[in-house]
Amino acid sequence: MLHRTIVWFLGAGLLAGAVFAAEPQMLPGENPNPIRLIRRPVEPLSAMARLGRDIFFDTSLSSSGKLACASCHSPDHAYGPPTDGPVMLGGPDLTLPGLRAVPSLTYLERQPDFSIGPEKEDVDDTVAPLARQAEVGKTAVRAEKIATQTAQSQNIVPQGGLFWDGRADTLQIQASGPLLDPREMDGGSIEIIAGKLRSAPYAKKFAALFGERIFKDTKLLVAEAAFAVGRYQIEEPSFHPYTSKYDYWLEGKVRLSEAEMRGLRLFNDPAKANCAGCHTSEPSRDGSPPRFTDTQYEALGAPRNLTLADTKDPGYFDLGVCGPIRKDIADQTQFCGMFKTPTLRNTAVRRTFFHNGVFHTLQQVMDFYNFRDTNPEKVFPVSADGKVQMFNDIPAQYRGNVDVTDPPFNRHLGETPAMTAQDETDIIAFLKTLSDGYKPEE
């Protein structure tokens, strides 16, 4: 399978300069070497997952009585935010803004636990504690992330985990966070939530699964509720359908348009967008569909979003892995400003991008990658004296953490940007092929 994957990678023209001259019988936009993708079998939901579905859509668990998991993670929006605001509003009156943009809950079924260092399959079974690995990372030389190479898997940087800062390792823990956050569902306390679960319409499902004694153990009741939500996310196919046009193209069932094919090549071209350096586009060795994320963390230096409530304090900074929410590795300042690389699947249906929701269109995102270093005045604010305020959402002492080595961020002020306007348009056309729900013609 590995050999076949490599053949596909080369044959599909993903490397810069690759051509299809050797395949004269092909129609434009066809995949010359289709492969069989391995998807999770669709099976009936377990009793635990069905309970989790009830909880996922239950607004009564919030203090407002109007907010459920599904309110911020909308099934109609790839389990991401249904609005174009930078954050969602929560709390008792739905007036309190969240801290960060709402991430999608799709494609987390293969998300590894949070760790620091190379991927666990590349090291021995003894995994060093976070603090020790982080110390190694202070002096380790980082490999340049290139779309056509895999050296980045050896980098001593954070990877895996859930939320923008990776502070949760399981979907159960992730589900508990918004439930208790006063700026989100604002459940109040474990005791309050347990009381609501005992009287919920689905309470009998708890009894059927765990017996009536579950209602006497407050902490266990809420923990099992969060576990049930996690099971729902794992078992419900719509959280990880792999039904995009690109998936079907990989299998040879559809053709890409000329613009989409150009975008695919640019996406994987180290001399151009180099998107696949972080957002891996090739299937895994076992035939699993590509995840479009290496799950690693990067400090990209996105502009400060002055529309957020927290940024009204000029001394406030969201440092991602270093806080303010996550606190266990806050002393590892070499990671300050780093946030998890999200999957690009369904990115075209989003209207809020980056951890602080500063961008609202894919065009703005592409401009950021293209002009951040060559023409920063196009993406960052300019002060009254004409000075461009680069990396204005990261304290000065941590700006050395910003990625200035991985293409296209290896360019300098005044140099020619990596992409033309047409390149950006073509990449956006390709990104739209990553949206689920595509119906190939029979």
Side-chain angles (χ1 to χ4, degrees):
M1 179 59 71
L2 174 59
H3 173 72
R4 189 173 183 184
T5 299
I6 293 175
V7 170
W8 165 80
F9 188 77
L10 296 173
L14 300 190
L15 299 184
V19 295
F20 293 142
E23 303 285 348
Q25 74 281 10
M26 288 177 52
L27 294 174
E30 282 188 335
N31 181 357
N33 293 284
I35 63 172
R36 178 175 175 268
L37 295 178
I38 306 300
R39 295 176 176 85
R40 182 187 181 94
V42 176
E43 300 174 340
L45 298 183
S46 67
M48 182 69 78
R50 292 197 300 272
L51 172 61
R53 178 177 56 195
D54 291 338
I55 298 169
F56 189 83
F57 289 92
D58 187 0
T59 59
S60 72
L61 298 178
S62 64
S63 62
S64 66
K66 298 178 181 179
L67 204 64
C69 301
S71 301
C72 296
H73 300 284
S74 169
D76 296 329
H77 297 81
Y79 292 100
T83 70
D84 58 2
V87 295
M88 292 291 290
L89 300 178
D93 302 310
L94 299 184
T95 57
L96 299 179
L99 180 68
R100 294 171 180 155
V102 175
S104 170
L105 292 182
T106 54
Y107 298 106
L108 298 178
E109 83 284 4
R110 293 155 59 193
Q111 185 76 358
D113 291 350
F114 183 86
S115 63
I116 296 175
E119 295 179 356
K120 293 181 181 180
E121 65 180 7
D122 296 323
V123 297
D124 60 34
D125 293 333
T126 304
V127 180
L130 286 180
R132 182 145 49 99
Q133 282 289 80
E135 286 297 323
V136 174
K138 286 184 177 180
T139 56
V141 177
R142 290 190 61 191
E144 189 178 78
K145 288 189 175 185
I146 299 296
T148 55
Q149 299 175 3
T150 57
Q152 61 265 30
S153 65
Q154 300 296 327
N155 281 330
I156 310 298
V157 296
Q159 58 189 331
L162 303 169
F163 293 112
W164 283 105
D165 55 16
R167 63 186 184 277
D169 277 335
T170 68
L171 292 170
Q172 177 183 16
I173 298 174
Q174 186 274 330
S176 301
L179 189 60
L180 291 167
D181 192 318
R183 297 166 65 159
E184 298 187 43
M185 291 180 69
D186 187 38
S189 67
I190 295 294
E191 289 73 22
I192 293 174
I193 295 169
K196 292 181 177 180
L197 292 173
R198 293 186 187 103
S199 60
Y202 47 81
K204 291 182 179 180
K205 294 183 180 181
F206 276 105
L209 283 166
F210 307 107
E212 294 289 343
R213 289 178 296 179
I214 188 70
F215 298 119
K216 296 180 180 180
D217 191 329
T218 297
K219 291 183 179 180
L220 182 60
L221 176 60
V222 176
E224 293 293 5
F227 178 78
V229 172
R231 284 310 309 172
Y232 173 56
Q233 293 177 240
I234 291 294
E235 297 183 27
E236 167 55 47
S238 59
F239 282 97
H240 37 77
Y242 297 104
T243 56
S244 72
K245 184 178 183 180
Y246 182 68
D247 291 310
Y248 293 123
W249 180 83
L250 289 175
E251 296 179 305
K253 297 179 180 178
V254 300
R255 288 186 289 153
L256 298 184
S257 70
E258 292 183 7
E260 291 164 350
M261 284 299 297
R262 290 195 301 268
L264 171 58
R265 293 190 181 96
L266 292 162
F267 188 95
N268 291 281
D269 188 345
K272 287 289 188 175
N274 194 45
C275 306
C278 295
H279 300 280
T280 50
S281 60
E282 71 270 20
S284 63
R285 296 181 180 183
D286 64 359
S288 297
R291 302 174 63 192
F292 284 91
T293 174
D294 61 4
T295 80
Q296 291 188 4
Y297 289 66
E298 295 288 339
L300 300 182
R304 190 172 181 85
N305 189 346
L306 296 177
T307 68
L308 298 180
D310 297 281
T311 58
K312 289 180 171 55
D313 175 2
Y316 170 85
F317 292 96
D318 187 349
L319 299 178
V321 173
C322 287
I325 303 176
R326 182 166 195 157
K327 303 182 186 303
D328 59 327
I329 54 174
D331 59 334
Q332 302 296 333
T333 57
Q334 73 272 25
F335 303 139
C336 289
M338 288 188 175
F339 295 87
K340 185 177 65 178
T341 299
T343 178
L344 292 186
R345 287 182 173 274
N346 296 300
T347 193
V349 305
R350 286 187 67 90
R351 289 176 284 174
T352 299
F353 301 91
F354 283 57
H355 70 280
N356 60 0
V358 68
F359 298 130
H360 294 278
T361 68
L362 287 174
Q363 185 65 60
Q364 290 175 327
V365 174
M366 292 306 306
D367 285 346
F368 172 76
Y369 278 91
N370 203 24
F371 300 126
R372 193 200 73 174
D373 300 280
T374 61
N375 304 86
E377 72 281 357
K378 293 187 176 184
V379 293
F380 291 100
V382 179
S383 61
D385 61 1
K387 185 176 181 181
V388 180
Q389 300 175 30
M390 285 189 70
F391 311 140
N392 63 332
D393 205 25
I394 297 180
Q397 67 267 34
Y398 301 136
R399 290 176 187 171
N401 296 341
V402 175
D403 182 2
V404 293
T405 59
D406 298 329
F409 294 142
N410 58 350
R411 284 168 169 75
H412 302 91
L413 186 66
E415 292 183 350
T416 301
M419 294 166 277
T420 65
Q422 184 61 55
D423 290 340
E424 291 191 29
T425 298
D426 290 339
I427 293 170
I428 292 172
F430 169 67
L431 291 176
K432 291 179 180 179
T433 72
L434 305 183
S435 297
D436 286 315
Y438 186 82
K439 303 292 184 182
E441 296 181 2
E442 297 295 338

